[in-house]
Amino acid sequence: MCGIVAAVGSIDVELCRRMLTRIEHRGPDDTGEIRRGNVWLGHQRLSIMDVEGGHQPLTDAGATTYLVANGEIYNHRHIREDLGHALFETGSDSEAALHALIVDGPAGLARLRGMFALAFTTQDGDFLAARDPLGVKPLYWVRRDDVTLFASELRAFDVEDRPLVETFPPGHCWSPAGGLVRFADTVPAHVRPARRAEEPGVWERSLVKSVREAIVTAVENRMMSDVGVGVFLSGGLDSAIVAAVAAEYAAEHRQPLPTFAVGSPGSADLAAARRVAEYLDAKHHNIEHHEVVMSRQDAVDALPRAVRAIEHYDPSLVRSAVPNLLLAEYAVRHVHAVLTGEGADELFAGYAYYHREPFTDPDALQAELVRTVGELHHLNLQRCDRASMAFGLEAREPFLDRDVIELALSIPPEHKMIGPGIEEKKLLREAFEGWLPDEILHRGKEQFGDGSGAKEVLEEAVRSSPDVAAAEGVELRNREEAGFYAIWRQELDGIRPDRTLGLFATT
């Protein structure tokens, strides 16, 4: 996990260095830059794989190609085997992306399984920028007549460039010669339910097994690290499943598993997370559980920092970002990477609104699930990335593994609908029976900002904010959002929300 800056065209090196400095929090362990002709690449590194040898920009043995990358390539070992170990100079997973592009050109992006934003150049002046299909890793760009600029965060860009900043679209690559090209869909077109469910809530055991195995594999792949991995444990179903699988993997490899929970004194999330940690520790004897108790004043004090960190003002995101930020600030003292439960609600219909009109129709529900998965890159994934990377902590989301997404969205939507005796996410709960305490396995959905105790405190903190109508040119939905927007604008004035941000359907 890192931060990148790239420029192609008429290079202003001092501008590029200013941009890189503004995101140094993303990679506190190392920094690097290189200029070749009309291309400049810069990198801030958080060292997780090959701590000693993974300095970026990475280059090949002949120093003819260069790459900076943010993220993790989870299948880098398979790529090494396919391309030949002799090509590789380091143990860095990002080097797999370098050689995939050297060997196959832009088609090499199809080899990469993971989360990434990257920039690649050759000494002959060829240039390519790309972002993973789901947009787990952030990337923004500015297109001027004389230069194209790329960066991992909005704050990187100079004030005069901010009105031009746009989100670089997930699943796309760009080169000066070829322009913007889609190389992968967020949800591939072939992924759709194979058939309608004859009896909602009743399925074959093979489906339960497939769901469990896909999630277990995704968690195990994300335990990849040379410096240890922990789990953000909210006490909800999704993060508890991730913790249960990670605990078993860590036990098999004789490793401890740090878990981290946050909440107000006596909050439901803290109590539930503690129960999960105690259960898993009794089973595997390897859990190191940590709690961050958040007072009302802690939440109020963290609010401006959270809005600035996540570069967003959507109330649902901000309410979650405040406890998320405090947890990341604590967790980074113990680990460099954490697993989270993001994505499960979008794949298995966990949110309450999925079970109201018009989504009581199976086709409408399926369409909404596909839509919300596609919107994650500038909503929950943005909050998750920024709140953790504010302190140089990498977040990994097993539920958003490509195989898990394709399997989950191929399940008949009727199997994700509630009814008499059918709770939300019943299939997911059944897949992990025996892995968690029953009271956690059947705990109802509660938004992180609610269960942690942040929601009411933050609503009160901005109650005296300016009227919604006071925000010029931006449509704000209530006074709370207007209050968060005022903080956002102080940090990111000039950025156009319509080109860079998404908003939840409800607040």
Side-chain angles (χ1 to χ4, degrees):
M1 180 72 71
C2 311
I4 65 171
V5 169
V8 57
S10 179
I11 303 298
D12 180 340
V13 172
E14 291 308 312
L15 165 64
C16 294
R17 287 173 176 164
R18 286 197 304 273
M19 292 176 65
L20 191 61
T21 297
R22 293 182 190 126
I23 59 170
E24 63 184 355
H25 54 274
R26 294 187 67 90
D29 297 329
D30 191 17
T31 187
E33 64 176 82
I34 196 167
R35 179 176 182 176
R36 289 294 181 268
N38 69 338
V39 175
W40 188 95
L41 304 179
H43 189 261
Q44 293 289 159
R45 186 183 184 213
L46 174 63
S47 302
I48 293 179
M49 295 298 295
D50 193 0
V51 173
E52 298 300 324
H55 173 78
Q56 295 193 29
L58 289 162
T59 188
D60 63 316
T64 61
T65 55
Y66 304 88
L67 176 135
V68 291
N70 168 28
E72 300 287 346
I73 309 301
Y74 297 121
N75 66 331
H76 73 103
R77 293 185 180 90
H78 296 293
I79 295 174
R80 289 169 186 267
E81 292 172 1
D82 287 345
L83 299 183
H85 290 276
L87 292 176
F88 290 79
E89 302 286 322
T90 77
S92 169
D93 58 287
S94 295
E95 194 180 358
L98 173 70
H99 291 293
L101 292 171
I102 292 172
V103 172
D104 294 333
L109 295 168
R111 291 182 181 266
L112 308 182
R113 301 289 295 271
M115 51 181 188
F116 59 86
L118 59 82
F120 169 89
T121 191
T122 71
Q123 65 178 6
D124 297 328
D126 291 336
F127 176 87
L128 184 77
R131 188 180 184 192
D132 70 74
L134 197 61
V136 180
K137 291 299 99 192
L139 190 64
Y140 300 94
W141 62 337
V142 161
R143 290 175 281 183
R144 300 199 316 234
D145 290 340
D146 61 335
V147 68
T148 302
L149 304 170
F150 300 83
S152 295
E153 293 190 6
L154 295 169
R155 75 186 71 251
F157 296 93
D158 272 8
V159 172
E160 54 266 31
D161 283 325
R162 286 182 174 181
L164 302 175
V165 177
E166 298 176 283
T167 297
F168 190 88
H172 285 71
C173 61
W174 179 87
S175 66
L180 189 64
V181 177
R182 178 182 288 279
F183 68 88
D185 292 321
T186 300
V187 179
H190 71 271
V191 177
R192 56 176 59 91
R195 57 183 174 79
R196 300 298 291 265
E198 295 180 4
E199 188 175 356
V202 178
W203 37 71
E204 297 178 358
R205 295 303 303 171
S206 60
L207 177 59
V208 177
K209 182 173 182 287
S210 295
V211 169
R212 180 172 58 252
E213 289 179 347
I215 294 169
V216 167
T217 299
V219 172
E220 290 177 346
N221 286 342
R222 283 155 182 77
M223 294 295 286
M224 177 182 78
S225 174
D226 290 340
V227 291
V229 177
V231 176
F232 274 0
L233 182 57
S234 72
L237 175 68
D238 309 330
S239 66
I241 287 173
V242 170
V245 179
E248 184 160 299
Y249 177 92
E252 290 173 357
H253 291 79
R254 299 182 180 180
Q255 299 170 356
L257 181 71
T259 56
F260 304 91
V262 61
S264 57
S267 66
D269 277 2
L270 278 183
R274 190 180 307 129
R275 175 71 178 105
V276 173
E278 291 170 349
Y279 179 90
L280 295 179
D281 192 54
K283 188 175 182 180
H284 300 293
H285 310 291
N286 65 343
I287 303 298
E288 298 175 353
H289 189 58
H290 304 262
E291 294 183 352
V292 175
V293 180
M294 177 184 66
S295 70
R296 294 180 65 87
Q297 193 60 49
D298 290 335
V300 171
D301 291 345
L303 172 59
R305 290 197 297 144
V307 173
R308 290 193 291 266
I310 68 170
E311 300 188 323
H312 217 307
Y313 54 82
D314 181 278
S316 296
L317 294 179
V318 174
R319 294 172 198 148
S320 297
V322 166
N324 202 165
L325 191 79
L326 295 173
L327 193 60
E329 187 174 25
Y330 175 87
V332 77
R333 304 173 200 168
H334 302 272
V335 294
H336 284 179
V338 291
L339 308 186
T340 77
E342 259 75 32
D345 286 315
E346 289 79 6
L347 293 173
F348 293 95
Y351 295 127
Y353 90 92
Y354 286 136
H355 305 291
R356 298 193 291 263
E357 292 288 350
F359 306 120
T360 51
D361 173 74
D363 291 336
L365 175 59
Q366 177 73 7
E368 180 66 1
L369 295 176
V370 171
R371 186 194 72 81
T372 51
V373 169
E375 293 291 306
L376 278 170
H377 69 278
H378 53 199
L379 292 170
N380 271 336
L381 286 176
Q382 179 169 332
R383 184 262 308 156
C384 184
D385 173 85
R386 302 295 207 288
S388 57
M389 288 306 294
F391 305 102
L393 178 71
E394 176 175 284
R396 301 174 177 178
E397 300 86 3
F399 283 104
L400 296 176
D401 179 88
R402 187 168 74 188
D403 288 344
V404 176
I405 291 174
E406 293 190 5
L407 173 62
L409 292 179
S410 70
I411 295 169
E414 295 92 336
H415 285 332
K416 301 173 186 178
M417 301 171 74
I418 63 174
I422 304 175
E423 57 194 335
E424 85 280 356
K425 296 195 285 192
K426 179 186 176 185
L427 175 58
L428 185 60
R429 298 175 196 274
E430 188 173 324
F432 287 91
E433 285 182 351
W435 290 65
L436 294 165
D438 284 347
E439 67 268 29
I440 300 298
L441 195 65
H442 298 286
R443 186 186 181 201
K445 175 65 183 174
E446 193 166 15
Q447 298 277 19
F448 183 43
D450 300 344
S452 65
K455 183 176 185 292
E456 293 182 3
V457 175
L458 300 181
E459 287 176 342
E460 176 66 27
V462 294
R463 186 160 291 169
S464 60
S465 297
D467 203 319
V468 173
E472 299 178 3
V474 178
E475 183 179 350
L476 299 172
R477 296 168 291 181
N478 54 43
R479 191 174 295 275
E480 182 186 16
E481 187 164 81
F484 298 154
Y485 173 79
I487 300 170
W488 180 90
R489 190 176 181 186
Q490 290 175 3
E491 179 80 4
L492 295 167
D493 192 24
I495 295 291
R496 292 186 54 177
D498 59 317
R499 293 184 174 185
T500 56
L501 305 180
L503 294 174
F504 274 112
T506 60
T507 60

